[in-house]
Amino acid sequence: MKRQVFAALATAALLATATGCGSGSPSEKGAGSAPDPKAMTGTVTVWLMNEAQTSWPELVQQVNDEFAAKYPKVQLKLSYQTWADKINNLDAALKDGNAPDVVELGNTETMKYILSGALAPVDRTSFDNSDAWIKGLVNTCSYQDKLYCVPYYAGARVGIYNAQMFQDATGSPEFPTTEEDLLSTLDKLQSKNKGNAGFSPVYLPGPYWYAAMSYVAAYDGAIARFDNGGRWHGTLHDPKSQQGIQHFVDLVKKYNKGDWKVNEANQATVLGRQKAAMIYGNGWEISTAIAPISGEPKLKDSLKVVGMPGPNGKPLPSFIGGSDLAITAKSQSAALAAEWIRMFTSTKSQQVLVNKDTLPNNLTQLAPLKDKATTAAAANAVPDAWFTPLAPGWGAIEKQNVLVTMLNDILKGKSVDEATKEADARIDQLINNPS
């Protein structure tokens, strides 16, 4: 899942390794000779999301320096995008013939561009750790036995809680291991903080469909399924899916004391300002909760990351988030673009992410994070995490907020039965058509 980072404007940066022009083809040295990297010319344009600029700028610089040393006559142009604007910017660039050579895509965004022919196939075997790539990420890059992007990093949603608040309410800073015990603790937190206006024991936003669908998955339901006739169809109206949705809605109604219509974008700020004892989100949201402006630095030692217990005595299934890197189909510098991606996703580069408690693209480097307190919950959730349907029209379903509308309707009073039936009808209209 892409990270939910919404900056007001995209920040553009230009990193030129050397002057150059052309298509990125090697200089002629004679028939049959291998191209000399130092003689190659061209331009490689890269779009990364702004996390790379704010969270691991040293990795970007490291790779750009490595690329410049190997290809001194190739110009590298790098710009940073925001999740709010990237899709519109990319669609416009593809339409105008100005698309970047390399583009970072959230893993729910890839299928749209694969099916539209906007991405070039890549050779899996030429990238580090490809035999150990996390399956959920590989699936988001795959279609009809071809690979169209390279896994970049992974993510999984976890429980983030204020251990001091838990201590004050229950006498223990430990997080409950079962949902039954968690609900009992949330009741105690509510009682303890009754003088804190607007306090939510768990801040669970009403339109938070990633969380809602985790409860659907917990009951063995699904957003949609692929039938024997070769088509997708919505399955939110199925009894198991409805159980999960009802469970989620009940939690929102009981424990979210804020505006149910507000989404999860600012939930870390709610936690940081101590208007909630816990949230269900990405581990990196702690950094927002303890930042001076958006949260409270003094909470650094109190906020903990844990696996979220679900119904039926099992862990709550997590959505596998993350990003992929793709080469656009009409790139005039495809070979050089692949080389930049190769450097950016190498074992050395992935270790930079691991050192920052970000989940890497492969199980080998993920393994140590399974035993680290700050990353264990997310790292252990990744191998069995769920994902959105790998269907042609999923992008349209997400863009048109079908699941958000369904949840908002239920919270406004519509029955789960009616709302899920309407959502399935809308899904059926969209899901089999390339968006």
Side-chain angles (χ1 to χ4, degrees):
M1 170 212 193
K2 55 188 183 289
R3 293 184 178 186
Q4 300 297 319
V5 178
F6 296 96
L9 297 172
T11 304
L14 173 63
L15 298 177
T17 62
T19 57
C21 59
S23 65
S25 57
S27 303
E28 293 295 334
K29 291 183 62 181
S33 63
D36 178 6
K38 294 189 181 303
M40 293 179 72
T41 61
T43 300
V44 177
T45 302
V46 178
W47 284 12
L48 290 177
M49 303 312 298
N50 52 7
E51 287 96 332
Q53 183 183 37
T54 58
S55 299
W56 41 85
E58 68 274 34
L59 171 58
V60 179
Q61 191 63 55
Q62 168 188 300
V63 171
N64 287 339
D65 289 346
E66 182 182 352
F67 189 87
K70 186 171 183 178
Y71 301 100
K73 294 185 178 181
V74 176
Q75 186 183 45
L76 181 65
K77 296 180 178 180
L78 171 65
S79 68
Y80 293 104
Q81 305 287 317
T82 66
W83 292 112
D85 299 327
K86 194 272 301 294
I87 290 296
N88 287 337
N89 292 344
L90 181 58
D91 288 346
L94 288 167
K95 182 178 180 180
D96 295 339
N98 298 317
D101 300 292
V102 177
V103 61
E104 178 182 345
L105 295 169
N107 58 5
T108 63
E109 299 170 344
T110 57
M111 193 55 59
K112 166 185 175 178
Y113 294 104
I114 291 172
L115 294 171
S116 69
L119 306 183
V122 294
D123 178 9
R124 175 172 178 164
T125 62
S126 67
F127 298 92
D128 281 5
N129 299 304
S130 60
D131 58 342
W133 279 346
I134 293 169
K135 183 179 179 181
L137 291 181
V138 175
N139 288 344
T140 70
C141 287
S142 305
Y143 185 68
Q144 293 185 344
D145 298 324
K146 289 185 179 180
L147 189 75
Y148 289 88
C149 48
V150 177
Y152 171 13
Y153 66 81
R157 282 167 172 77
V158 293
I160 305 173
Y161 79 105
N162 187 321
Q164 186 59 54
M165 281 190 171
F166 275 56
Q167 170 76 47
D168 293 343
T170 69
S172 171
E174 300 302 317
F175 193 82
T177 58
T178 68
E179 188 183 56
E180 181 180 9
D181 288 341
L182 175 59
L183 298 183
S184 175
T185 297
L186 294 177
D187 291 339
K188 293 175 182 177
L189 282 160
Q190 183 61 51
S191 178
K192 180 70 175 180
N193 292 273
K194 59 185 177 182
N196 186 351
F199 174 82
S200 300
V202 56
Y203 185 71
L204 199 58
Y208 193 3
W209 67 266
Y210 290 106
M213 295 305 109
S214 285
Y215 285 96
V216 167
Y219 283 95
D220 296 323
I223 299 170
R225 298 191 190 278
F226 195 67
D227 61 32
N228 293 332
R231 291 179 63 80
W232 289 88
H233 64 279
T235 53
L236 292 171
H237 191 248
D238 290 1
K240 290 181 178 179
S241 298
Q242 287 188 342
Q243 273 186 290
I245 292 168
Q246 186 66 63
H247 193 107
F248 169 79
V249 169
D250 289 344
L251 292 175
V252 172
K253 288 182 175 181
K254 185 172 184 180
Y255 296 114
N256 181 353
K257 303 305 178 180
D259 186 343
W260 293 344
K261 301 187 295 297
V262 175
N263 67 23
E264 72 276 15
N266 295 314
Q267 64 177 1
T269 297
V270 176
L271 181 68
R273 292 178 179 169
Q274 301 180 72
K275 288 297 182 180
M278 67 169 293
I279 61 173
Y280 179 61
N282 298 285
W284 53 263
E285 290 183 82
I286 284 182
S287 62
T288 301
I290 62 175
I293 296 177
S294 57
E296 175 52 70
K298 293 180 181 179
L299 294 178
K300 181 179 180 180
D301 295 330
S302 295
L303 297 184
K304 309 293 182 182
V305 176
V306 290
M308 190 77 165
N312 307 322
K314 299 178 181 179
L316 184 67
S318 176
F319 171 81
I320 184 166
S323 276
D324 304 311
L325 295 166
I327 301 168
T328 53
K330 294 184 179 180
S331 169
Q332 297 300 301
S333 302
L336 289 167
E339 180 72 346
W340 188 89
I341 294 175
R342 196 171 293 117
M343 294 176 180
F344 199 69
T345 59
S346 69
T347 300
K348 176 183 176 182
S349 295
Q350 289 287 298
Q351 190 59 44
V352 175
L353 300 184
V354 171
N355 293 344
K356 289 180 171 289
D357 288 351
T358 296
L359 306 187
N361 65 6
N362 66 90
L363 295 172
T364 303
Q365 291 176 282
L366 179 73
L369 297 183
K370 291 184 175 182
D371 297 321
K372 190 175 181 181
T374 54
T375 56
N380 283 290
V382 160
D384 298 318
W386 65 272
F387 192 64
T388 54
L390 293 169
W394 175 254
I397 293 168
E398 191 169 343
K399 186 175 182 179
Q400 295 186 27
N401 290 319
V402 174
L403 301 184
V404 169
T405 298
M406 176 192 71
L407 293 170
N408 282 335
D409 285 347
I410 294 170
L411 289 165
K412 286 188 291 187
K414 186 173 287 187
S415 71
V416 169
D417 188 66
E418 183 180 2
T420 54
K421 187 179 296 183
E422 291 175 357
D424 276 350
R426 189 65 182 136
I427 288 171
D428 290 347
Q429 291 175 341
L430 299 171
I431 196 166
N432 292 294
N433 305 313
S435 54

